[in-house]
Amino acid sequence: MDTVLAKEKKILYAPEISEIIEAKFLTATEKFFKIKLPGGRDLKHIPGQFVQVSLFGVGEAPISVCSSPTQKGFFELTIRKVGMLTEKIHELEAGDKIGIRGPYGRGFDVNAFKGKDILIIGGGIGIVPLRSLINYIIDNRNDYGRLIILYGAKSPSELLYRDELKMWEEREDIEYHVTVDRSDENWKGNVGVITTLIPPLELDLENTIAAIVGPPVMYKFVLLALKSKRFPEKNIYMSLERRMKCGVGKCGHCQINNLYVCQDGPVFNYLEVKGLEEAI
């Protein structure tokens, strides 16, 4: 029995040493990594899931996967520099090695979303896990209805994936709206918080799914804006951000009442967390 438990523990907590095959800065604080698992094995994730990223002697952190599972042989992460671990990860380049565990958590139920219009609402770095969902829908475009993307950032310099934003803007089968809190001399688009993009939308309410990811302060106001349009609560999905550590529901760092964000989430239907203290 001890041998079995030891083997299970090793599988749970042992990272796979993986290779960075591309690395580039997207902004001053966000860096993009394309990573290959040993043998080029697929990660087999679902949009909205995360992996545990580690550097030996430095630490480990949960990071959302930003690529679609339709891409084979590699997966992608976009990592914001917020502390010592991510600062060290930002020093890595193509050819360097990194530890990966996962994927973990509950992502977006892309099969249940089929046939629906999808309303994406991404604030700041929240667009990172949503990029996985967006690209999955694009790669399976006939399975879904309208794809409406609302993206907000503090300033134009903080917008991520600029080449893809241009593509989203140009495609006739994507309705893309972007706004920034503060403009600069070159910005000609919307200025204001992301909720200013919601009132003008004309939606088939019963057939539309809202997928929301952003900073914690954003959720309350986005929910108010959706409720003002009588958007059905059962059609709202959101990814909650908590201090996840082990990634497998053992340490309790991400616990909200009876829920573990790392296992029960990070993606929740709104009705699962509505009224749950400290959830939103």
Side-chain angles (χ1 to χ4, degrees):
M1 179 64 74
D2 289 345
T3 302
V4 173
L5 291 174
K7 184 178 180 181
E8 180 184 358
K9 186 176 180 180
K10 182 180 178 182
I11 292 171
L12 275 177
Y13 296 107
E16 290 187 280
I17 305 307
S18 305
E19 180 183 357
I20 296 172
I21 56 177
E22 182 182 345
K24 62 181 179 183
F25 281 98
L26 299 180
T27 70
T29 54
E30 276 86 22
K31 192 168 183 178
F32 171 90
F33 296 92
K34 184 178 289 186
I35 297 170
K36 185 173 72 174
L37 291 172
R41 178 173 60 82
D42 291 334
L43 183 62
K44 296 182 178 177
H45 66 289
I46 297 169
Q49 285 190 301
F50 66 94
V51 291
Q52 293 284 136
V53 180
S54 60
L55 278 182
F56 289 113
V58 184
E60 184 183 58
I63 303 291
S64 296
V65 180
C66 68
S67 55
S68 166
T70 49
Q71 295 179 301
K72 302 299 181 184
F74 64 88
F75 66 97
E76 295 165 343
L77 305 174
T78 299
I79 300 177
R80 171 173 285 181
K81 185 166 61 176
V82 292
M84 183 174 69
L85 174 61
T86 49
E87 186 174 332
K88 291 294 183 184
I89 292 175
H90 269 219
E91 294 175 1
L92 301 177
E93 299 293 346
D96 288 333
K97 304 293 185 183
I98 196 166
I100 299 292
R101 288 197 291 129
Y104 294 127
R106 180 173 61 170
F108 293 101
D109 190 345
V110 291
N111 289 323
F113 293 177
K114 285 182 178 178
K116 304 286 187 180
D117 296 342
I118 309 297
L119 171 61
I120 302 285
I121 304 176
I125 201 169
I127 199 67
V128 169
L130 288 171
R131 175 181 180 260
S132 176
L133 177 61
I134 291 167
N135 285 337
Y136 181 87
I137 293 171
I138 289 174
D139 288 342
N140 297 277
R141 196 65 193 89
N142 292 334
D143 290 339
Y144 300 91
R146 294 167 65 193
L147 175 57
I148 308 159
I149 303 173
L150 310 185
Y151 179 26
K154 289 182 179 177
S155 67
S157 65
E158 296 182 40
L159 291 170
L160 302 174
Y161 314 122
R162 290 171 179 273
D163 290 344
E164 288 168 61
L165 303 187
K166 188 172 185 297
M167 182 267 287
W168 297 347
E169 188 170 16
E170 292 175 349
R171 281 184 66 137
E172 293 184 354
D173 60 349
I174 297 176
E175 300 165 53
Y176 171 60
H177 308 274
V178 61
T179 187
V180 296
D181 296 352
R182 300 184 304 273
S183 65
D184 59 23
E185 64 276 14
N186 298 317
W187 181 254
K188 295 181 174 58
N190 294 302
V191 177
V193 295
I194 195 167
T195 50
T196 61
L197 301 176
I198 296 175
L201 295 176
E202 294 186 5
L203 303 171
D204 178 355
L205 296 176
E206 284 299 325
N207 195 51
T208 302
I209 296 293
I212 310 167
V213 189
V217 68
M218 186 190 86
Y219 289 95
K220 182 172 72 174
F221 297 102
V222 167
L223 288 169
L224 286 172
L226 291 177
K227 287 177 181 177
S228 71
K229 297 184 76 68
R230 300 184 182 277
F231 197 95
E233 293 180 340
K234 64 181 173 62
N235 290 356
I236 299 174
Y237 292 80
M238 53 185 58
S239 182
L240 299 185
E241 186 178 292
R242 288 296 185 275
R243 187 172 295 179
M244 294 184 285
K245 190 170 183 179
C246 71
V248 291
K250 301 294 185 184
C251 71
H253 277 72
C254 65
Q255 188 173 5
I256 305 174
N257 293 275
N258 61 327
L259 298 176
Y260 288 88
V261 174
C262 69
Q263 284 206 311
D264 300 309
V267 174
F268 292 92
N269 181 278
Y270 175 54
L271 294 180
E272 294 179 289
V273 295
K274 179 185 178 183
L276 202 61
E277 191 175 358
E278 298 181 359
I280 299 174

